[in-house]
Amino acid sequence: MSQPPAQAVAPAGSRWSRALATYGKARIASMFALGFSAGLPFLLVFSTLTAWLTEAGVTRGAIGFFTWVGITYSIKVFWAPVVDRVPLPLLGRLLGQHRSWILLAQLVIVAGLAGMALTDPMVDLARLALFALLVAFGSATQDIAIDAWRIEAAPPAEQAAMSATYVFGYRMALLAAGAGALHMAARMDWSQVYLAMAALMGVGVLATLLSREPRVQRRTDVALLEPGAQAFYRRNAHLPAPLRTAIAWLIGAVVYPFVDFFKRYGAHSLAVLLLVGTFRISDISMGAMANPFYLDLGFSKAQIANISGIYGIVMTILGGLVGGVLTVRYGLLRVLLAGAVLSAATNLLFAMMALVGAEPWMLVVTISGDNFFAGLAMAVFIAWLSSLTSASYTATQYALFSSLMTLPGKFIGGFSGQVVEAVGWFNYFLYVAAIGVPAVLLCLYLIVRERGSATTPG
């Protein structure tokens, strides 16, 4: 009897074709619209809003307080368990767990933007602030639910492509809510601009309605909660039933996502969390100083807008798309290491520009390298974060990671102006490059650990 032929090895060209074809899948294409819906509110409660307030004559001190609205994005982990485990009464049955929360959050954003549009900052600034907070809360909630849907809707091999497409849509929304809104404001009232932005949220609403809810088994009642929650429920029969049920649910929905993570990663949990917190520390801590640096060198606002803004977003999108393809082709950790190295190293381009001065060609080179590799690194980083989550606690664990990845950079970035004043621009960018080194070392550690686990007999 003849032996079956050996399985042919697919040529490199076909492997690349299959990797590129990933972007043609419906669930990945839908991430563009959901990314657009996620990115649109962000600038409308930050830089675009400050432009409106400045033109309206609001004092700089009052404008500064509006930055506190952004705290909402950093503390979303506190209500992520609700999004993860609590079904909405009517929408939950119609759309499923996470799509129902996405739609509800989108409707909250639309209501908040409409409320902002119908409020005069000089007449009732507090009311405007409350509507801005409503938009930020809805936006943060939408982020939680979209992240959970994305992770559950596609296998790990497609997560980088999902995140790259998401970033693509997100960046397009930043263009619309940033440069687009400013151009619109030159031709119409700010109230009309914000009403138009509320209407643009329809892109995400439509995508939510047309998408499918992933089939994931979830546990929502006490009888199916984790053992620790069951044990609490049995030991405390003397408590009123509603209170006992609520506490048991909190143990299962809030405590166990963290217990699950530490159980799965054991002694390596600290290294994983350190990498989450340090991977973007260079980009985030430097971000606040980018525009002051360009202006100090002597670049015009038009040059900064065209090269750093529009062209920079194009390069970020391109980097994200390339990151998605490379991850499918080479795997997460190797591309993650490359992203960590390049994200830190591109700060040396800024240091060089500090020596060269206000040369447009140097700004183009710097933005090309920085934004392209930042987009690549972010796409693979999101995919890696997604791979860390458990299907039972997707929203809660991912919200924890996404909060942790921004807080160290934001904290250190608060001192960036003082560092510049103390050491100058050139040395500042050397410092920013240096603080990216721990992420590189942690990536190497995880790669060595993974290879060691692969070679250890099961």
Side-chain angles (χ1 to χ4, degrees):
M1 184 175 180
S2 61
Q3 296 294 324
Q7 185 176 2
V9 178
S14 65
R15 293 198 297 269
W16 280 107
S17 298
R18 286 199 300 270
L20 290 170
T22 302
Y23 286 103
K25 297 182 179 180
R27 58 176 171 262
I28 293 178
S30 68
M31 285 308 301
F32 170 82
L34 293 175
F36 186 89
S37 179
L40 194 69
F42 186 76
L43 292 183
L44 297 176
V45 294
F46 288 108
S47 61
T48 301
L49 177 58
T50 60
W52 178 12
L53 297 178
T54 301
E55 285 195 350
V58 177
T59 65
R60 297 293 187 272
I63 292 173
F65 289 128
F66 273 80
T67 60
W68 288 354
V69 170
I71 295 175
T72 309
Y73 291 91
S74 296
I75 61 173
K76 61 186 179 182
V77 65
F78 291 112
W79 66 90
V82 177
V83 178
D84 217 5
R85 303 296 288 271
V86 177
L88 294 173
L90 177 60
L91 288 177
R93 289 196 298 272
L94 294 174
L95 301 176
Q97 177 72 18
H98 290 132
R99 280 201 308 148
S100 61
W101 277 101
I102 293 172
L103 182 61
L104 177 62
Q106 289 167 340
L107 296 178
V108 168
I109 294 168
V110 170
L113 291 174
M116 292 176 69
L118 300 176
T119 303
D120 185 342
M122 294 306 294
V123 174
D124 197 342
L125 190 61
R127 178 183 170 186
L128 184 69
L130 289 175
F131 278 125
L133 185 61
L134 182 65
V135 171
F137 176 75
S139 179
T141 303
Q142 180 186 222
D143 289 348
I144 296 168
I146 288 177
D147 286 332
W149 181 88
R150 170 180 54 78
I151 294 168
E152 293 178 357
E158 295 180 1
Q159 284 298 325
M162 292 280 278
S163 62
T165 310
Y166 174 88
V167 170
F168 185 16
Y170 197 98
R171 294 291 178 179
M172 289 295 98
L174 294 183
L175 268 180
L182 291 174
H183 281 297
M184 291 173 64
R187 296 169 174 81
M188 59 180 71
D189 293 337
W190 277 105
S191 59
Q192 295 173 307
V193 173
Y194 270 72
L195 286 175
M197 294 295 136
L200 275 179
M201 283 297 299
V203 172
V205 171
L206 185 61
T208 303
L209 295 174
L210 294 179
S211 300
R212 293 183 179 180
E213 183 76 5
R215 294 181 180 179
V216 176
Q217 185 69 34
R218 293 190 180 89
R219 297 165 293 174
T220 56
D221 60 299
V222 171
L224 296 176
L225 285 174
E226 285 75 4
Q230 293 181 13
F232 172 87
Y233 194 80
R234 288 193 300 267
R235 287 197 310 266
N236 293 276
H238 60 283
L239 295 176
L243 176 62
R244 187 165 51 130
T245 301
I247 296 175
W249 181 88
L250 286 172
I251 292 172
V254 179
V255 176
Y256 263 75
F258 300 97
V259 173
D260 169 81
F261 171 78
F262 285 104
K263 277 186 177 179
R264 284 188 293 118
Y265 289 94
H268 305 288
S269 299
L270 181 59
V272 171
L273 292 177
L274 283 173
L275 181 55
V276 172
T278 59
F279 188 82
R280 296 195 63 220
I281 201 166
S282 290
D283 290 340
I284 294 174
S285 62
M286 191 277 284
M289 288 291 104
N291 282 339
F293 172 59
Y294 303 144
L295 292 170
D296 279 359
L297 286 186
F299 288 107
S300 68
K301 292 179 181 178
Q303 288 174 315
I304 297 170
N306 292 333
I307 300 174
S308 177
I310 298 174
Y311 174 71
I313 286 179
V314 171
M315 293 305 297
T316 303
I317 293 168
L318 181 59
L321 295 174
V322 171
V325 173
L326 291 177
T327 302
V328 172
R329 180 68 179 84
Y330 295 109
L332 276 173
L333 284 181
R334 284 193 288 176
V335 185
L336 191 71
L337 173 61
V341 172
L342 294 167
S343 292
T346 50
N347 287 287
L348 301 179
L349 292 173
F350 287 93
M352 188 181 302
M353 189 162 63
L355 300 177
V356 172
E359 294 289 345
W361 66 267
M362 188 64 207
L363 181 58
V364 170
V365 170
T366 302
I367 293 300
S368 296
D370 183 63
N371 287 45
F372 179 86
F373 291 121
L376 183 152
M378 193 59 190
V380 66
F381 185 56
I382 291 174
W384 179 69
L385 291 182
S386 303
S387 73
L388 299 178
T389 64
S390 167
S392 300
Y393 315 106
T394 312
T396 304
Q397 291 181 347
Y398 192 88
L400 168 67
F401 297 144
S402 60
S403 297
L404 180 59
M405 77 177 179
T406 59
L407 287 177
K410 286 182 179 179
F411 177 77
I412 293 176
F415 302 100
S416 57
Q418 293 175 308
V419 176
V420 171
E421 291 177 354
V423 302
W425 286 114
F426 178 81
N427 290 323
Y428 170 73
F429 289 114
L430 295 181
Y431 148 78
V432 173
I435 62 175
V437 172
V440 175
L441 298 178
L442 288 164
C443 284
L444 288 170
Y445 167 79
L446 292 178
I447 289 174
V448 171
R449 171 183 171 257
E450 183 181 67
R451 289 177 177 173
S453 300
T455 56
T456 300

